[in-house]
């Protein structure tokens, strides 16, 4: 019996399918896992591209807000391309219309089964892993994947005293880390401020953020690479009330590779995101390709 053909409409689906060793035949325009290279692209965005030539984060927020208010989809599925691939399973998501495409019955080729990933926590990820592995006929791979995540978490070295940690998933305007991010902070040994596991990311005021007075601030703008996050974190430090925070003055503002570590609830993020947080929260330097300290400006005498 041939392995099932998997079409992925969101990056998290491709990451998850790769973790399970499945045959992926089509991907979204944002899928960046190595197995996505050269595969047919099945989605496109209605929102202008971000960096380097697109609008900044404030303009992107305005475009997204206007589209949502008008009831317009942010992403489009290429139904003809999807039909030509004749997948057995289509993986979409049911978490955030802002982040990625969703599919419904009218998008599906004949005979294809739709599975929507819905994880907002480690427990939810376990449910997604098992559902996809079962649908693909390889339930044992799902259990192996979950055992690997558990083993990595058991090996984490956490700080003795949990630092009070604040995460930002967007800067202009500020959004707090939500869904699985507070749980990742807890796994890394921190005390997450202003939002709890499973709660969606929400807008916060700068006054609220300053009043929280975190020990550590981690900047993880959704979908950003480390380089893009570093550049924007430097702007925030210079142009926003972040400069007033004790942790920023103390050199505890961090920019991270959000797109690979925190923007998706996947086995990779649960393993590597937790490891990066554990390192920086206990005072060690995490791998420079994954996280960088945003140093305060040097005072001129």
């Amino acid at each position: 019996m041939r392995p099932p053909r998997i079409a992925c409409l969101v990056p998290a689906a491709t990451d998850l399918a790769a973790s399970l060793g499945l045959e992926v035949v089509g991907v979204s325009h944002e899928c960046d896992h190595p197995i996505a290279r050269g595969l047919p692209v099945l989605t496109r965005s209605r929102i202008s591209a971000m960096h380097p030539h697109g609008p900044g984060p404030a303009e992107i927020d305005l475009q997204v807000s206007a589209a949502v208010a008008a009831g317009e989809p942010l992403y489009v599925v290429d139904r003809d391309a999807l039909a030509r691939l004749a997948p057995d399973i289509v993986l979409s998501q049911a978490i955030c219309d802002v982040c990625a495409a969703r599919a419904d019955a009218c998008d599906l080729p004949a005979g294809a089964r739709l599975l929507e990933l819905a994880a907002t926590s480690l427990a939810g990820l376990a449910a997604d892993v098992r559902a996809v592995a079962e649908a693909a006929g390889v339930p044992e791979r799902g259990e192996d994947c979950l055992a690997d995540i558990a083993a990595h978490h058991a090996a984490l070295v956490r700080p003795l005293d949990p630092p009070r940690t604040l995460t930002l998933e967007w800067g202009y305007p500020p959004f707090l880390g939500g869904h699985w991010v507070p749980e990742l902070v807890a796994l890394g040994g921190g005390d997450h401020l202003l939002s709890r596991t499973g709660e969606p990311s929400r807008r916060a005021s700068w006054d609220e953020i300053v009043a929280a007075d975190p020990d550590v601030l981690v900047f993880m703008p959704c979908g950003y690479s480390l380089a893009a996050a570093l550049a924007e974190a430097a702007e925030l430090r210079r142009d926003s009330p972040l400069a007033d925070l004790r942790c920023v003055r103390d050199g505890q503002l961090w920019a991270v590779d959000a797109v690979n570590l925190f923007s998706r609830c996947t086995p990779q993020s649960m393993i590597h995101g937790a490891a990066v947080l554990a390192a920086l929260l206990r005072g060690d330097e995490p791998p420079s390709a994954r996280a960088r300290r945003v140093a305060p400006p040097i005072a001129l005498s």
Side-chain angles (χ1 to χ4, degrees), residues 15 30 32 221-226 256-264:
D15 294 351
E30 292 184 318
D32 51 12
C222 187
Y224 275 43
S225 67
L226 175 58
V256 296
D257 179 9
V259 69
N260 287 307
L261 297 176
F262 301 105
S263 298
R264 310 163 191 166

Side-chain angles (χ1 to χ4, degrees), residues 55-263:
E59 175 61 25
I60 291 169
D61 180 70
L62 289 174
Q63 290 185 29
V64 169
S65 298
V68 171
E72 297 174 353
L74 299 177
Y75 297 87
V76 177
V77 177
D78 186 336
R79 299 179 184 179
D80 292 337
L82 186 60
R84 287 193 297 271
L85 290 177
D88 301 296
I89 299 171
V90 176
L91 297 180
S92 183
Q93 60 91 36
I95 304 167
C96 178
D97 290 335
V98 171
C99 295
R102 294 186 66 176
D104 55 33
C106 65
D107 292 320
L108 296 181
R113 177 181 177 185
L114 174 65
L115 290 179
E116 290 193 311
L117 307 180
T120 60
S121 65
L122 180 57
L125 175 62
D128 279 350
V129 167
R130 289 187 171 112
V132 174
E134 184 68 32
V138 289
E140 70 288 349
R141 296 188 197 175
E143 297 308 315
D144 289 345
C145 177
L146 296 176
D148 186 48
I149 296 172
H152 277 87
H153 289 171
L156 289 174
V157 178
R158 301 173 177 86
L160 295 178
D161 296 316
R164 300 171 67 257
T165 306
L166 191 145
T167 60
L168 288 180
E169 289 187 4
W170 203 248
Y172 298 99
F175 274 76
L176 301 173
H179 290 313
W180 51 86
V181 169
E183 186 171 20
L184 279 174
V185 170
L187 285 166
D191 175 18
H192 195 271
L193 303 178
L194 300 182
S195 59
R196 294 179 295 181
T197 296
E199 294 179 348
S201 179
R202 66 170 177 86
R203 289 193 190 209
S205 69
W206 288 118
D207 287 345
E208 182 181 13
I209 291 168
V210 171
D213 188 30
D215 301 316
V216 179
L217 193 152
V218 185
F219 187 55
M220 50 178 70
C222 187
Y224 275 43
S225 67
L226 175 58
L230 268 171
E232 190 171 316
E235 291 181 12
L236 283 170
R237 185 194 59 200
R238 183 182 64 244
D239 300 332
S240 80
L242 284 191
D244 298 329
L245 288 173
R246 171 178 52 86
C247 64
V248 174
R249 296 195 302 269
D250 292 345
Q252 288 301 314
L253 169 60
W254 293 84
V256 296
D257 179 9
V259 69
N260 287 307
L261 297 176
F262 301 105
S263 298

